[in-house]
Amino acid sequence: MRQGWRHFIHQALEGVADDPHVRMLRERLRSGGQVVRVHFEDSGPGPSYRVVLSLDRQLSELRVPHSESFTRWSLEAGVRMATLEDEVARFTLLLRERLQVVEAELGRSSLQGVLVEVVRELGPPKAQASLSGRQVHSLSEGRARLQAMRTVEGVITTLVKDLGTGLKYDEAQVAGTLDAVLERFVSVPSSHQP
């Protein structure tokens, strides 16, 4: 337990260490490389990013597995995906990851119910259309439901900030991207989502 506490303190003071792939990417950028574009890929053993770099007019590629470290770096650096479809796939993955705790506590069906309530309240058009006529298990009124609603709204708010503040998308782009992310998330079972 003692080592866990020290590790926690170190991370709080120093920040979470980058994974080896992100460290390599940072080294290439420090040596003068520039990011040309980044593609999201969901094939092989798991989701990853294909980062195209330029150094002295030479292009090279670096494959980086999806990780919290890469997400943190890309948001801090303001690095967007090459296409809107790649951005939607990436943020759908982030939404799923950030809602795992709620899903573990409540179950998939109850999480879907809470998410449906939040989406219906917010009213994004694509997500609304994919929910039309859908019946999902909803939590009864109470503390667990309110906590789940707050958590889901907090996760969605964080995604909005990541898109707007971190990646500098304008308000219309944030709304369109988030709507597409929510549509994909509510319409595809969790085992099939990128």
Side-chain angles (χ1 to χ4, degrees), residues 142-188:
R143 188 179 192 156
R145 181 180 167 276
L146 289 175
Q147 181 60 39
M149 294 276 294
R150 275 193 219 114
T151 301
V152 169
E153 288 174 359
V155 166
I156 292 172
T157 299
T158 300
L159 292 179
V160 168
K161 288 179 182 175
D162 289 345
L163 286 162
T165 306
L167 299 179
K168 308 282 189 268
Y169 284 111
D170 65 34
E171 193 172 319
Q173 292 169 317
V174 170
T177 303
L178 187 60
D179 186 13
V181 166
L182 291 170
E183 176 197 26
R184 183 177 290 186
F185 187 85
V186 298
S187 65
V188 178

Side-chain angles (χ1 to χ4, degrees), residues 1-12:
M1 186 84 169
R2 210 166 153 195
Q3 187 178 36
W5 176 245
R6 287 186 179 163
H7 182 71
F8 171 78
I9 296 297
H10 176 77
Q11 284 187 341

Side-chain angles (χ1 to χ4, degrees), residues 90-153:
R90 169 168 76 152
F91 273 82
T92 302
L93 176 62
L94 292 176
L95 178 63
R96 188 182 66 207
E97 287 176 347
R98 293 172 183 178
L99 291 178
Q100 279 180 344
V101 172
V102 177
E103 185 175 354
E105 289 175 9
L106 304 176
R108 178 69 181 172
S109 176
S110 294
L111 169 61
Q112 281 281 16
V114 169
L115 190 61
V116 165
E117 285 184 57
V118 171
V119 167
R120 285 184 175 148
E121 187 176 300
L122 295 174
K126 287 181 184 176
Q128 283 281 35
S130 79
L131 290 174
S132 63
R134 175 186 267 195
Q135 294 293 338
V136 293
H137 173 68
S138 184
L139 288 174
S140 60
E141 291 293 326
R143 188 179 192 156
R145 181 180 167 276
L146 289 175
Q147 181 60 39
M149 294 276 294
R150 275 193 219 114
T151 301
V152 169
E153 288 174 359

Side-chain angles (χ1 to χ4, degrees), residues 16-30 49 51 53 62-77:
V16 179
D18 287 330
D19 66 40
H21 297 93
V22 175
R23 277 198 305 271
M24 183 185 311
L25 175 59
R26 286 184 191 269
E27 288 171 16
R28 287 189 181 180
L29 295 174
R30 273 194 293 273
Y49 303 92
V51 182
L53 298 163
L62 178 64
R63 291 204 184 271
V64 180
H66 173 73
S67 66
E68 181 183 332
S69 181
F70 181 83
T71 299
R72 188 178 58 251
W73 169 81
S74 66
L75 293 173
E76 287 171 359

